[in-house]
Amino acid sequence: MIPYGRQHISQADIDAVTDVLQSDFLTQGPAVPAFEQRLCEITTAQHAVAVNSATSALHIACLALGVGPGSRVWTSPISFVASANCARYCGADVDFVDVEPDSGNMAVDKLRQKLELARNNDTLPQIVIPVHLAGASCDMQQIHYLANEFGFKIIEDASHAVGASYLDEPVGNCRYSDITVFSFHPVKIITTAEGGMAMTNSAELADKLRLLRSHGISRDENLMTEPTHGAWYYQQLQLGFNYRMTDMQAALGLSQSQRLLPIIQKRQLLAASYNRLLADLPLGLPQLDDVNISAWHLYLVRFDDKSKRKAVFDALRAAGIGVNVHYIPIHTQPYYQQLGFDWGDFPVAEDFYERIVSLPMFPELTAEQQNYVVQELSKVLQ
Ligand SMILES: *Cc1c(COP(=O)(O)O)cnc(C)c1O
């Protein structure tokens, strides 16, 4: 089976992890700050906090921004469930903003309409979490503009988008947001097996994220409520978690990050080939615009005729092609239906869902494999 996504592991990656295994520190050693520093260099953000998953990063990003019971957090229905669950972990109420029909990214006009309604009802959100679907940034300039007008904070879920750029600057620089989150799950752009990172330009938010990552414990005497008892002394200042990344993971991530640029270039080449090879089929293809350089985590096609989607999906799977669907709208999940959402709430997202299939997209996909995917797809569409 040709998978839809797959990690790329080099000998240098293996050596980097082996080195850590033979060193003094398997966790909380030098690799984690080195990997954090590297992500600051890549994105130009001032602070990076590595954690054990993007889900954890989203959770503590919400907490660091003061999300709690009674808070309102809005995100996109076309995402992985973690984009919404992070707010539920904090006891907040989640709502969704419908998407653009082509990109599947949060629609700015829908966001504005919903904010205006919410202002009238005194139900404005504290946080909005735009999701950069497939690796291309949302319209962050406009969303940031709305944040100033309506007074909400922004967490970018850039799980798909490490290495992408928007308006000629790296995604993750937090120019238009308070915190940006990356995922290093194996199907994503670079991997640490499990892992995530929160980027921010606020020293205060970075300190909060670090406390929350490790039990709420600090050894900083300036933060203590009484004089230190000695060199062993620490204080738990609040309720935190064990969300730490290991040094094995960070060493793998650091090694992978040395190849970030060629990985993105390879994904761009594959996307350009798909766009060329699929141009004559009855499909909506992802746009390559000049505002975004996508990281091309996913290559999503949209069927003109959505009644064909299931049969084509099944035929491609039967031909050994691991197509997938990203994503089932979050608000239609039983857990969210129990909270009062239902089919029909976000019609553009639901229509998008019914049309999409993700084709194989990963650096080691060969031209031969790609031609095979296109050939099988053409066959079943005709
Ligand atoms: C993968 C993903 C996550 C969760 O990432 P983990 O590192 O697996 O926790 C969150 N949001 C989006 C959009 C994702 O694709």
Side-chain angles (χ1 to χ4, degrees), residues 94-346:
V94 172
D95 203 349
F96 302 92
V97 180
D98 214 343
V99 300
E100 293 170 349
D102 294 348
S103 68
N105 275 342
M106 184 180 282
V108 172
D109 56 336
K110 298 276 171 54
L111 176 59
R112 171 175 278 287
Q113 283 165 19
K114 200 175 171 95
L115 286 166
E116 278 165 0
L117 255 175
R119 181 165 54 192
N120 295 339
N121 301 334
D122 212 12
T123 54
L124 282 171
Q126 277 71 43
I127 312 277
V128 173
I129 308 180
V131 180
H132 304 327
L133 185 68
S137 176
C138 295
D139 191 350
M140 290 311 302
Q141 206 172 40
Q142 291 302 315
I143 295 173
H144 181 242
Y145 181 82
L146 292 174
N148 289 337
E149 186 178 340
F150 290 91
F152 58 84
K153 307 275 188 203
I154 300 175
I155 302 170
E156 290 175 70
D157 185 343
S159 291
H160 301 180
V162 68
S165 31
Y166 167 72
L167 293 175
D168 298 322
E169 292 180 359
V171 168
N173 70 352
C174 300
R175 179 184 292 283
Y176 306 105
S177 63
D178 298 276
I179 297 173
T180 301
V181 168
F182 293 130
S183 172
F184 306 122
H185 182 277
V187 296
K188 306 288 164 71
I189 307 292
I190 56 172
T191 190
T192 60
E194 297 281 358
M197 188 94 71
M199 315 300 300
T200 182
N201 291 323
S202 157
E204 193 191 330
L205 282 176
D207 286 344
K208 285 186 181 166
L209 291 165
R210 287 202 185 91
L211 263 186
L212 287 162
R213 160 173 76 177
S214 196
H215 307 282
I217 282 173
S218 176
R219 293 178 185 276
D220 181 348
E221 285 182 36
N222 297 318
L223 298 178
M224 288 182 186
T225 56
E226 56 181 273
T228 179
H229 303 179
W232 68 87
Y233 193 61
Y234 59 80
Q235 284 192 336
Q236 183 190 344
L237 301 168
Q238 61 181 99
L239 188 62
F241 307 87
N242 180 352
Y243 280 172
R244 294 187 303 265
M245 177 180 276
T246 68
D247 266 41
M248 281 103 72
Q249 291 170 304
L252 177 56
L254 185 59
S255 177
Q256 292 248 316
S257 69
Q258 314 296 344
R259 300 197 300 284
L260 181 60
L261 193 62
I263 286 173
I264 299 293
Q265 284 167 343
K266 184 66 203 286
R267 288 175 176 274
Q268 285 171 339
L269 280 178
L270 291 169
S273 301
Y274 271 139
N275 273 24
R276 192 177 64 247
L277 296 166
L278 299 172
D280 297 331
L281 296 182
L283 296 170
L285 303 179
Q287 297 301 312
L288 302 151
D289 59 30
D290 18 309
V291 174
N292 280 302
I293 297 177
S294 177
W296 292 107
H297 163 52
L298 301 171
Y299 186 88
L300 265 78
V301 297
R302 285 163 283 125
F303 290 82
D304 291 351
D305 177 358
K306 58 183 167 186
S307 70
K308 294 219 166 115
R309 196 264 301 262
K310 187 174 184 302
V312 173
F313 184 98
D314 291 343
L316 291 174
R317 280 278 177 100
I321 299 166
V323 284
N324 218 319
V325 172
H326 299 96
Y327 289 95
I328 305 157
I330 300 174
H331 69 279
T332 69
Q333 295 292 351
Y335 172 78
Y336 284 94
Q337 291 206 19
Q338 282 159 29
L339 294 174
F341 296 98
D342 206 347
W343 287 99
D345 288 349
F346 302 97

